[in-house]
Amino acid sequence: GATSTLKDMAYLPVILVIVYLSSSLADEFNCPSLPPLTKSAQNVYELKPQDIKVVMALGDSVTAAFAAAGQQLSIRDFYEYRGQSWSLGGDPNVSTIAAFIRHYTPNVIGASIGSHFVEFCYGIICFPDQYRPSEDVFNAAQTGAMLPNLVNHEFTYLYEQLTKNSAVDMKNDWKLLTILAGFNDVCLGCSGSVPFLTADDFEKHLVAVLEKVRENIPRVFVNIGELFNISLVYEVSKQSHYCESVHRILPIECYCAFAYGKEGDKTRREMDHLIAQYNERIRKIAYEYSQKKYSEFAVVAQPGFRDGTAHRVPIGFLSSVDCFHPSIMGHQGMAKVIWNNMITPAAKKRTTFNFSDPFVCPTNTTLLYTY
């Protein structure tokens, strides 16, 4: 009867359930449009969402939207769905930060579109000439990227594309850069025996990439997403027999997250500890930049992912390809949480991954808050 049908569903095509959920739970961005600004922001402290003319991103497979569309049982299981990436997706009718900005500035430049085979860059294994600029545009994220890859490989691509694009007024356009990275560093560094992945190294590389941006790209507001605990993915994936077996067969994406028994409990605790340290450094860096009071450059830590707990996150937030990367629905939730953070002053920003909150809608006086 019904119970056995439910059991079958839990074992097999959770895929269909996930696809159904992601279409039915897609939350419409229903904020009213705003009249055009009479004059653009003169400094970063008066910046409004409507001021942003260019969107850009640095990061890893999450920002590249690897496997986001779920299982295709084909080569497309190894695709990145950049047009639907939480921060920079620019496909029609998507729920992404780039699309929310486009709601106010229809000709915003930089959002990535479409989907294509994975672009891979992991530490020293970083192949040249993988980018597809016509689709990636200013989404410089690479699947597998660690912090040092952002400093060299990703920044180089982003800067080249910005300077080549005649539609960008480098000097005068206000630009939004969203950075989310560190997960691959944690997956490798969780054993504690990898010397170059400490919180000090994380901070050093993050400052290095931010300084490159500040010195070479005028007028930038930088969002840095604080990281969610990867143990959260493990906990959520336990809601599905299918996902449990995927992790048993394929723990390779992040062995420390999916190791079994006492060893797994220990490595997950270590990962959570390292992520807490990384997040502390993100906040420290943002604070230090705020003290420098640059007029055209700001770095803001967005804490929306930091305190998520498994009971709040549905299984549909994970891709049915690997039960590890976010699904389209996961990307939509991430976009909403960070958007709400961006236009909320620091003291009121939510930290608990409240993806079911309503959208915060800007008014004529709402800022991209730096404080």
Side-chain angles (χ1 to χ4, degrees):
T3 357
S4 63
T5 315
L6 280 171
K7 263 191 197 153
D8 295 342
M9 279 173 71
Y11 275 92
L12 263 165
V14 277
I15 300 150
L16 298 176
V17 181
I18 288 171
V19 169
Y20 167 72
L21 274 171
S22 50
S23 55
S24 62
L25 294 186
D27 198 339
E28 288 301 300
F29 181 75
N30 50 7
C31 295
S33 51
L34 294 169
L37 296 169
T38 46
K39 68 179 178 64
S40 69
Q42 297 309 292
N43 63 62
V44 76
Y45 306 104
E46 49 186 54
L47 197 62
K48 296 176 176 172
Q50 312 94 289
D51 278 303
I52 299 298
K53 300 287 185 281
V54 177
V55 287
M56 319 178 287
L58 299 170
D60 54 27
S61 53
V62 176
T63 297
F66 177 74
Q71 213 170 65
Q72 316 282 311
L73 300 175
S74 73
I75 191 76
R76 294 184 69 85
D77 286 348
F78 299 96
Y79 271 38
E80 296 166 343
Y81 292 83
R82 291 177 181 244
Q84 306 195 57
S85 159
W86 71 280
S87 60
L88 223 68
D91 280 356
N93 307 316
V94 289
S95 210
T96 69
I97 290 171
F100 306 152
I101 294 287
R102 184 169 67 193
H103 182 68
Y104 304 101
T105 310
N107 56 349
V108 66
I109 302 162
S112 47
I113 54 171
S115 62
H116 56 59
F117 193 70
V118 63
E119 296 171 3
F120 188 72
C121 174
Y122 182 60
I124 55 169
I125 310 162
C126 200
F127 306 111
D129 306 322
Q130 294 187 85
Y131 283 110
R132 295 170 174 77
S134 60
E135 291 156 276
D136 301 344
V137 197
F138 300 158
N139 183 346
Q142 297 276 270
T143 290
M146 294 193 277
L147 258 291
N149 299 127
L150 272 63
V151 183
N152 301 311
H153 186 78
E154 292 193 15
F155 175 81
T156 303
Y157 167 80
L158 178 60
Y159 183 71
E160 279 173 3
Q161 293 306 312
L162 270 172
T163 48
K164 267 185 199 169
N165 191 317
S166 58
V168 174
D169 179 342
M170 193 72 148
K171 186 164 171 283
N172 297 305
D173 284 348
W174 282 105
K175 303 161 197 75
L176 173 70
L177 170 63
T178 302
I179 300 178
L180 181 67
F183 296 118
N184 293 307
D185 309 63
V186 170
C187 283
L188 186 59
C190 66
S191 61
S193 58
V194 184
F196 57 86
L197 297 172
T198 63
D200 287 345
D201 296 304
F202 177 86
E203 179 178 351
K204 180 182 81 182
H205 295 307
L206 188 50
V207 169
V209 76
L210 290 168
E211 280 300 284
K212 275 191 163 179
V213 171
R214 187 183 66 79
E215 288 165 8
N216 294 284
I217 306 174
R219 296 199 151 188
V220 185
F221 180 101
V222 185
N223 270 330
I224 304 187
E226 291 189 42
L227 306 177
F228 49 82
N229 284 336
I230 300 181
S231 64
L232 173 77
V233 178
Y234 169 77
E235 292 300 329
V236 173
S237 70
K238 289 200 305 194
Q239 297 172 28
S240 151
H241 294 294
Y242 166 80
C243 286
E244 283 195 303
S245 37
V246 167
H247 293 320
R248 214 165 290 137
I249 303 158
L250 273 179
I252 184 162
E253 285 184 297
C254 189
Y255 179 76
C256 292
F258 304 117
Y260 263 72
K262 286 209 167 81
E263 183 199 1
D265 294 341
K266 179 171 175 287
T267 54
R268 280 185 288 278
R269 265 197 312 277
E270 284 167 357
M271 289 174 85
D272 288 353
H273 180 60
L274 192 50
I275 283 199
Q277 291 180 320
Y278 282 11
N279 284 341
E280 203 177 304
R281 298 307 174 94
I282 290 172
R283 293 192 293 275
K284 171 178 180 265
I285 291 166
Y287 174 75
E288 286 169 356
Y289 273 106
S290 73
Q291 297 307 294
K292 293 179 177 161
K293 304 233 177 312
Y294 293 118
S295 63
E296 298 196 338
F297 183 76
V299 175
V300 180
Q302 305 296 8
F305 306 147
R306 187 203 310 157
D307 301 323
T309 55
H311 72 268
R312 191 182 280 119
V313 179
I315 188 75
F317 268 47
L318 300 183
S319 164
S320 56
V321 171
D322 58 7
C323 300
F324 181 57
H325 285 91
S327 64
I328 301 293
M329 182 176 155
H331 280 273
Q332 292 168 348
M334 290 171 69
K336 182 203 263 189
V337 162
I338 297 301
W339 169 260
N340 284 356
N341 271 180
M342 285 162 59
I343 53 177
T344 303
K348 292 187 174 164
K349 288 186 199 288
R350 305 286 292 265
T351 66
T352 47
F353 198 50
N354 295 78
F355 60 86
S356 51
D357 281 358
F359 277 104
V360 176
C361 289
T363 66
N364 281 341
T365 56
T366 304
L367 300 176
L368 290 173
Y369 287 98
T370 53
Y371 56 85

